[in-house]
Amino acid sequence: MHPLLLRLRGVIPPLVTPFREDGAVDLPAFERNLAAYAAAPLAGYLVLGSNGEACALDEAEKVDLVRAARRGAGDRPVLAGTGLESTRGTIALTCRAADAGADAALVVTPHYFKSQLTADALIRHFEAIADASPIPVLLYSVPANTGLALPAPVAIRLAAHPNVIGLKESSGDMGFLNRVLGTAPELGFLCGSAGAFYPALCAGATGGVLAVACAAPEITCALHAAAARGDHDRARSLQRTLMPLAAAVTTAHGVPGLKAAMDLAGYAGGFPRAPLAPVSEAVREELRAALALARSAID
Amino acid sequence: MHPLLLRLRGVIPPLVTPFREDGAVDLPAFERNLAAYAAAPLAGYLVLGSNGEACALDEAEKVDLVRAARRGAGDRPVLAGTGLESTRGTIALTCRAADAGADAALVVTPHYFKSQLTADALIRHFEAIADASPIPVLLYSVPANTGLALPAPVAIRLAAHPNVIGLKESSGDMGFLNRVLGTAPELGFLCGSAGAFYPALCAGATGGVLAVACAAPEITCALHAAAARGDHDRARSLQRTLMPLAAAVTTAHGVPGLKAAMDLAGYAGGFPRAPLAPVSEAVREELRAALALARSAID
Amino acid sequence: MHPLLLRLRGVIPPLVTPFREDGAVDLPAFERNLAAYAAAPLAGYLVLGSNGEACALDEAEKVDLVRAARRGAGDRPVLAGTGLESTRGTIALTCRAADAGADAALVVTPHYFKSQLTADALIRHFEAIADASPIPVLLYSVPANTGLALPAPVAIRLAAHPNVIGLKESSGDMGFLNRVLGTAPELGFLCGSAGAFYPALCAGATGGVLAVACAAPEITCALHAAAARGDHDRARSLQRTLMPLAAAVTTAHGVPGLKAAMDLAGYAGGFPRAPLAPVSEAVREELRAALALARSAID
Amino acid sequence: MHPLLLRLRGVIPPLVTPFREDGAVDLPAFERNLAAYAAAPLAGYLVLGSNGEACALDEAEKVDLVRAARRGAGDRPVLAGTGLESTRGTIALTCRAADAGADAALVVTPHYFKSQLTADALIRHFEAIADASPIPVLLYSVPANTGLALPAPVAIRLAAHPNVIGLKESSGDMGFLNRVLGTAPELGFLCGSAGAFYPALCAGATGGVLAVACAAPEITCALHAAAARGDHDRARSLQRTLMPLAAAVTTAHGVPGLKAAMDLAGYAGGFPRAPLAPVSEAVREELRAALALARSAID
């Protein structure tokens, strides 16, 4: 098992990118969040993930954010989302992210040409990136956004590459997790679905990259700690209490919901970038209640 | 919690319907399987499930199978799949299944008129059935077959009905499980996905209705027992070892794969009903290897 | 080209099954509709289609409806929907429908075991049915309900069977139509999508089985007549005027919408069978407006 | 109707981007294709479309390609694909494409945050772009790649914007076409599905943006010409003959198939950019046969 994986045992928030009302990146707000997160026992950070609105950023903004994450992360590891549709572009961005201080690259499956992205094409893509990358690579499967699920045999095959150290899976598919870890137990497995976090930890996941952790880092860390020390009753209870908030900031209201929950929790969510729009006042009230419920679990 | 649920804590095989080569139901073979299953510590049986090819049976065949299951089940509970597209038809079949000895009805979501099956329509459907049914009702969501996932709020709402005692969920969606049990912890939750069985048990599932249990009852029971006594390492290990067989008899090769694995394991799989066809010799070899691997875990 | 196909050149309404409020089939209402339809230049009738709520009927009801359709159809051909999940069951029902007077069978793709219904399985299924059926067979693909699209190569292969005379395709996929008719031009092609009716006729479709024709037979017949005599401007104009009504009685409001529109148009829609429910008063007003607009095109 | 639309009546190939084996853009090859296309009666060109592998290009490459397209297009109009996930990024690229000589922008729906891209979000996005763009805007819906279909009511609403002059729809959905043109007949409608081209022209489409036109411009132009002069028999026949090639270079083998067919037809397809890979020799033979069949129609 790669040494970096030992440091990823826990909760990793996928950092949001706060925007100003005029649409510019609000880098000071991004830095304030990192400073605030230092108080929680988080394992590391992901910058440029789906919740970081990476698909809406240009390359210069991306590099600036990696640099800022590295500066603000202290001694915690920084993962950077560097996946683009082309192998060539992904390699170039991975190298720039490494230069800017990323400890590892999280590479989403390409997906625009769905019907042509066979197992062979995906293997070729990730192997070329892992060959070229100066930093370790984690695969990233997020079918709700991409419409493409990384097949278990592809993940198992890529686990043999010395520079592929793990993956993030965001649909919460336990069959995938159990198949992959059954054959490639040394692979780091980051659960990207808050609703599957405790079950995934039971089944052997290394940690979680959870949107809800951006708004409620303490409860997600408490959940991980309970599972890690074998306190299953407590972990199960925390998992259940977390559900309304977790569902609200992902499937129900997406990044705008997450940003609003962060604002309510005292972090800097900021504006989403259009075409995403801030949530309504009614949703904000729903989020306020879900946040209060989640927090009640750790008071 | 309904007293029947206490008896469903464990593994419930969804009994296959063995057919003769001419397509007729092979009732003696069905009965031999029940006799053989008596040796394993199974919690009960499901007759007329998806793996029982219920969709390919006529009503007389269905009633005969419920009766035979009741006769062969000893003192173990028998669940019967009675869901049809219409509320009226489902109620009629549920009453006949109850008369034939079923202890509870498992009612799949209707699904043909997908776009009209709103939350309200589903609630109306299941409430009318639960009102009319002489036996307790469990909801059944199996989106891989139906193209329709029971929404968590619908399950939560129906949990308030005194005659709805539980549900079976076959996609392995942990977020659904955690949302439902977080709000309705008294509901029985049967995991219908072998790949999610151990994680689901950790999260509070009552038991599992697992196709693979028809071919390998001992290993699935061993997995449940390990989880029930808190031996998480053993449960995790059994879960992983089970995966190749579980994947082969569901997503990869379906009911024909399950029937072939049963034949190889000494049970009576028999022929599937056309248009399903027996697996090829190559698939049979793959199943033989997966079965041997799964069995090695409990030797 | 089979002689029956010559008689199917035109519009075929998929007859709805009117139910009474208590859920029983209202056969007199069904018969009144047939009597009323005699005034429009329809090419024939489909009984037991998706819009006939065939999935919610039992076998005795089905046979009664075929018999009633035959009685009320005069010298127009009657197609009967006889597809079930099993080959065996479909053959039995097809024979009963033939005995009851159906001129041809419309056989929907089986679909519950989606992942196992390969091209080979579908070919085997339809060939066995066509071999056994005393009446000609038409294939039926309706992915919005079944989640399974008949592949063009399967349709082309089945066109070689002497008892497979045509097909109905309800998604409006023009590429499918052009591929199939490009290779098997003798196959009857019934367009099952009102929104694609005129384009499909241009491309060589034989006729259309259109839900909207149950509520507005005259305008759909006028559209067909215009296309048949080469009056493309008129056909195009009628097609466009029909769209709001066509969309309302299919994707938007389904069978309940169609039944309400029939009631408004002076036919007997009746109640849908639960879990489908009558439309709201607001939808009824929307349907009234769409109906008035559609009728304005032929005044 | 906008004057530019009068010039788009016909066939518009979505220009491929030929790459060298090392992955660099082969601009001379791109220019040779434009020179060769001058011999066919094409209506214009699309640069940076899906088939142009726009998702795999960086911004500098995109601008160079627009400039080269403008130079090589003679007096034919050049459409440029400028859609990105963010409104802000799309506006910036649209302005650069306009500066580089594009006559209009084709803006694909954003799609990464599927669940948040409501009708309101899409309207806001396209209105902001149309407000800011110095050139006319066409909407672009391609659900096979994006997993998101532009809803008809959104297209109808956006038709009211003076700078939205049309749209390209690539699924071939005739119901969408008929609904949109029934309400907004002044909107330019470009059919993006070769399998639906002739039916779409009958129903009122302005023209077609057809991948297959890159490899077989003459037959697609002949099809359009036949339809335009009312020779429906000839158009229908050409449409059918075109199908095997059209299916091969889109759904079956994608951009690599299209590029191979172009090479076989004497154009410069070049390499696709990884992770796409050149087709196998077997596919090349299939394409050779399909190309010969298509060409036989116009000899």
Side-chain angles (χ1 to χ4, degrees):
Chain A
M1 185 167 272
H2 193 279
L4 179 60
L5 293 177
L6 303 176
R7 303 170 63 205
L8 298 179
R9 296 184 176 284
V11 175
I12 298 164
L15 301 169
V16 307
T17 305
F19 296 103
R20 298 194 317 228
E21 190 162 6
D22 68 3
V25 174
D26 186 347
L27 214 53
F30 180 81
E31 290 165 338
R32 284 200 305 279
N33 287 336
L34 280 163
Y37 290 149
L42 297 161
Y45 302 102
L46 169 64
V47 60
L48 309 181
S50 296
N51 285 288
E53 294 170 78
C55 65
L57 298 170
D58 68 29
E59 191 173 338
E61 292 170 331
K62 289 183 181 181
V63 175
D64 284 350
L65 284 160
V66 176
R67 210 170 274 128
R70 182 60 280 164
R71 272 197 314 269
D75 56 3
R76 292 178 179 171
V78 171
L79 313 184
T82 61
L84 298 172
E85 287 293 332
S86 75
T87 310
R88 175 192 182 93
T90 304
I91 291 173
L93 182 58
T94 302
C95 291
R96 294 203 63 183
D99 284 348
D103 295 290
L106 183 70
V107 180
V108 70
T109 56
H111 47 90
Y112 194 77
F113 295 118
K114 289 175 181 55
S115 64
Q116 306 304 315
L117 291 167
T118 58
D120 279 355
L122 292 169
I123 290 169
R124 227 166 30 230
H125 178 69
F126 284 113
E127 286 187 344
I129 294 161
D131 284 347
S133 171
I135 49 178
V137 168
L138 294 102
L139 318 174
Y140 178 22
S141 180
V142 57
N145 291 123
T146 63
L148 186 152
L150 187 72
V154 170
I156 289 167
R157 164 73 179 274
L158 290 166
H161 193 289
N163 206 27
V164 173
I165 65 166
L167 58 81
K168 173 185 172 192
E169 203 284 327
S170 289
S171 76
D173 181 339
M174 291 294 110
F176 175 86
L177 181 156
N178 282 317
R179 286 178 75 182
V180 169
L181 292 185
T183 306
E186 75 290 357
L187 207 61
F189 197 105
L190 300 176
C191 174
S193 161
F197 188 37
Y198 163 62
L201 290 172
C202 292
T206 310
V209 180
L210 309 175
V212 71
C214 295
E218 297 83 5
I219 179 173
T220 49
C221 288
L223 197 173
H224 177 265
R229 69 177 179 264
D231 185 348
H232 289 272
D233 287 344
R234 174 73 175 148
R236 194 180 304 112
S237 165
L238 286 166
Q239 172 73 66
R240 291 182 180 184
T241 309
L242 186 63
M243 290 313 297
L245 182 62
V249 300
T250 52
T251 42
H253 307 299
V255 173
L258 177 58
K259 288 186 156 182
M262 289 176 64
D263 287 337
L264 291 166
Y267 301 99
F271 285 83
R273 208 165 236 186
L276 298 185
V279 298
S280 67
E281 198 48 48
V283 170
R284 200 173 300 269
E285 283 314 301
E286 178 194 337
L287 292 165
R288 196 188 306 273
L291 193 61
L293 175 67
R295 282 171 161 181
S296 71
I298 53 168
D299 285 347
Chain B
M1 185 168 271
H2 193 279
L4 179 59
L5 293 177
L6 303 176
R7 302 170 63 206
L8 299 179
R9 297 185 176 285
V11 174
I12 298 163
L15 300 169
V16 306
T17 305
F19 296 103
R20 299 195 317 231
E21 190 162 7
D22 68 3
V25 173
D26 187 347
L27 215 53
F30 180 80
E31 291 164 339
R32 284 201 304 279
N33 286 337
L34 280 162
Y37 290 149
L42 295 160
Y45 303 103
L46 168 65
V47 61
L48 309 182
S50 296
N51 286 288
E53 294 171 76
C55 65
L57 298 170
D58 67 30
E59 192 172 338
E61 292 170 331
K62 288 182 181 182
V63 175
D64 284 350
L65 284 161
V66 176
R67 211 170 273 127
R70 182 61 280 163
R71 273 197 314 268
D75 56 3
R76 292 178 179 171
V78 171
L79 314 184
T82 62
L84 297 172
E85 287 293 332
S86 75
T87 309
R88 176 191 182 93
T90 304
I91 290 173
L93 183 57
T94 302
C95 291
R96 295 202 63 185
D99 284 348
D103 295 290
L106 183 71
V107 180
V108 71
T109 56
H111 47 90
Y112 194 76
F113 295 118
K114 290 174 179 55
S115 64
Q116 305 303 315
L117 291 166
T118 57
D120 280 355
L122 292 169
I123 290 170
R124 227 166 30 230
H125 179 69
F126 284 113
E127 286 187 343
I129 293 161
D131 284 347
S133 172
I135 48 177
V137 169
L138 295 101
L139 319 174
Y140 178 21
S141 180
V142 58
N145 291 123
T146 63
L148 187 151
L150 187 71
V154 171
I156 290 167
R157 164 74 178 273
L158 290 166
H161 193 289
N163 206 27
V164 173
I165 66 166
L167 58 80
K168 174 184 172 195
E169 203 284 327
S170 289
S171 76
D173 182 339
M174 291 294 111
F176 175 87
L177 181 156
N178 283 317
R179 286 178 74 181
V180 169
L181 292 185
T183 307
E186 74 290 357
L187 208 61
F189 197 106
L190 301 176
C191 173
S193 161
F197 189 37
Y198 163 62
L201 290 172
C202 292
T206 310
V209 180
L210 309 175
V212 70
C214 295
E218 297 83 5
I219 178 173
T220 49
C221 289
L223 197 171
H224 177 264
R229 68 176 181 265
D231 186 347
H232 289 273
D233 287 344
R234 175 73 174 146
R236 194 181 304 114
S237 165
L238 286 166
Q239 172 73 64
R240 291 182 181 183
T241 309
L242 187 63
M243 289 313 297
L245 182 62
V249 300
T250 53
T251 43
H253 307 299
V255 172
L258 177 58
K259 289 186 156 182
M262 288 176 64
D263 287 337
L264 291 166
Y267 301 99
F271 284 84
R273 208 164 236 184
L276 298 186
V279 299
S280 67
E281 199 47 49
V283 170
R284 200 172 301 269
E285 283 315 301
E286 177 193 337
L287 291 165
R288 196 188 306 274
L291 193 62
L293 175 67
R295 283 171 161 182
S296 70
I298 53 168
D299 285 347
Chain C
M1 184 167 272
H2 193 279
L4 179 60
L5 293 177
L6 303 176
R7 303 170 61 206
L8 298 178
R9 297 184 175 286
V11 174
I12 299 164
L15 300 168
V16 305
T17 305
F19 296 103
R20 299 195 317 231
E21 190 161 7
D22 68 3
V25 173
D26 187 347
L27 215 53
F30 181 81
E31 290 165 338
R32 284 201 304 279
N33 286 337
L34 280 162
Y37 290 148
L42 296 161
Y45 302 103
L46 169 65
V47 60
L48 309 181
S50 296
N51 285 289
E53 293 171 77
C55 65
L57 298 170
D58 67 29
E59 191 172 338
E61 292 170 331
K62 288 183 181 181
V63 175
D64 284 350
L65 284 160
V66 175
R67 211 169 275 126
R70 181 61 280 162
R71 272 198 313 270
D75 57 2
R76 292 177 180 172
V78 171
L79 313 184
T82 62
L84 297 171
E85 287 293 332
S86 75
T87 309
R88 175 191 182 93
T90 304
I91 290 173
L93 183 58
T94 302
C95 291
R96 293 203 63 183
D99 284 349
D103 295 290
L106 184 70
V107 180
V108 70
T109 56
H111 47 90
Y112 194 76
F113 296 118
K114 290 175 179 56
S115 64
Q116 305 303 315
L117 291 166
T118 57
D120 279 354
L122 292 169
I123 290 169
R124 227 167 29 232
H125 179 69
F126 284 114
E127 287 187 343
I129 293 161
D131 283 347
S133 171
I135 49 178
V137 168
L138 295 102
L139 319 174
Y140 177 22
S141 180
V142 57
N145 291 123
T146 62
L148 187 152
L150 187 72
V154 171
I156 289 166
R157 164 74 180 273
L158 289 166
H161 193 291
N163 206 25
V164 173
I165 66 166
L167 57 82
K168 173 184 172 195
E169 203 284 327
S170 289
S171 77
D173 182 339
M174 291 294 110
F176 176 86
L177 181 156
N178 283 317
R179 285 177 75 181
V180 169
L181 292 185
T183 307
E186 74 290 357
L187 207 62
F189 197 106
L190 300 176
C191 174
S193 161
F197 189 36
Y198 162 63
L201 290 172
C202 293
T206 310
V209 180
L210 309 175
V212 71
C214 295
E218 297 82 4
I219 178 173
T220 49
C221 288
L223 196 173
H224 177 264
R229 69 176 180 265
D231 185 348
H232 288 273
D233 287 344
R234 175 74 174 148
R236 193 180 304 113
S237 164
L238 286 166
Q239 172 73 64
R240 291 181 181 185
T241 308
L242 186 63
M243 290 313 296
L245 182 63
V249 300
T250 53
T251 43
H253 307 300
V255 173
L258 177 58
K259 289 186 155 182
M262 288 176 64
D263 286 337
L264 291 166
Y267 300 100
F271 284 84
R273 207 164 236 186
L276 298 186
V279 298
S280 67
E281 198 47 49
V283 170
R284 199 172 301 268
E285 283 314 301
E286 177 194 337
L287 291 166
R288 196 188 306 274
L291 193 61
L293 175 67
R295 283 172 161 180
S296 71
I298 53 168
D299 286 345
Chain D
M1 184 167 274
H2 192 281
L4 179 60
L5 293 177
L6 303 177
R7 302 170 61 204
L8 299 179
R9 296 185 176 285
V11 174
I12 299 164
L15 301 169
V16 306
T17 306
F19 296 102
R20 298 194 317 229
E21 190 161 7
D22 68 3
V25 173
D26 187 346
L27 215 53
F30 180 81
E31 290 165 338
R32 283 200 305 279
N33 286 336
L34 280 163
Y37 290 149
L42 296 161
Y45 303 103
L46 169 64
V47 61
L48 309 182
S50 295
N51 285 289
E53 293 171 79
C55 65
L57 297 169
D58 67 29
E59 192 173 337
E61 292 169 331
K62 288 183 181 181
V63 175
D64 284 351
L65 284 160
V66 176
R67 212 170 273 127
R70 182 61 279 164
R71 272 198 313 269
D75 56 3
R76 292 177 180 172
V78 171
L79 312 184
T82 62
L84 298 172
E85 287 293 332
S86 74
T87 309
R88 177 192 182 92
T90 304
I91 290 173
L93 183 58
T94 302
C95 291
R96 294 202 63 184
D99 284 349
D103 294 289
L106 184 70
V107 179
V108 70
T109 56
H111 48 90
Y112 194 76
F113 296 117
K114 290 175 179 54
S115 64
Q116 305 304 316
L117 291 166
T118 57
D120 280 354
L122 292 169
I123 289 170
R124 228 168 26 233
H125 179 68
F126 284 114
E127 286 187 343
I129 293 161
D131 283 347
S133 171
I135 49 177
V137 168
L138 295 101
L139 319 174
Y140 177 23
S141 181
V142 57
N145 291 122
T146 62
L148 187 153
L150 187 72
V154 171
I156 289 167
R157 164 74 178 274
L158 290 167
H161 193 291
N163 206 26
V164 173
I165 65 166
L167 58 80
K168 174 184 172 195
E169 203 284 326
S170 289
S171 76
D173 181 338
M174 290 295 110
F176 175 87
L177 181 156
N178 282 317
R179 285 177 76 183
V180 169
L181 292 185
T183 306
E186 75 290 359
L187 207 61
F189 196 105
L190 300 176
C191 174
S193 161
F197 188 37
Y198 162 63
L201 290 171
C202 293
T206 310
V209 180
L210 309 175
V212 71
C214 295
E218 297 81 4
I219 178 174
T220 49
C221 289
L223 197 173
H224 178 265
R229 69 176 180 263
D231 185 348
H232 289 272
D233 287 343
R234 175 73 174 147
R236 193 181 304 111
S237 165
L238 286 166
Q239 172 74 64
R240 291 181 180 185
T241 309
L242 186 63
M243 290 312 296
L245 182 63
V249 300
T250 53
T251 42
H253 306 300
V255 172
L258 177 58
K259 289 186 156 183
M262 288 176 64
D263 286 337
L264 291 166
Y267 301 99
F271 285 84
R273 206 165 237 186
L276 299 185
V279 298
S280 67
E281 198 49 46
V283 170
R284 200 173 300 270
E285 282 315 301
E286 178 194 336
L287 291 166
R288 196 189 306 275
L291 193 62
L293 175 67
R295 282 171 162 180
S296 70
I298 53 169
D299 285 347

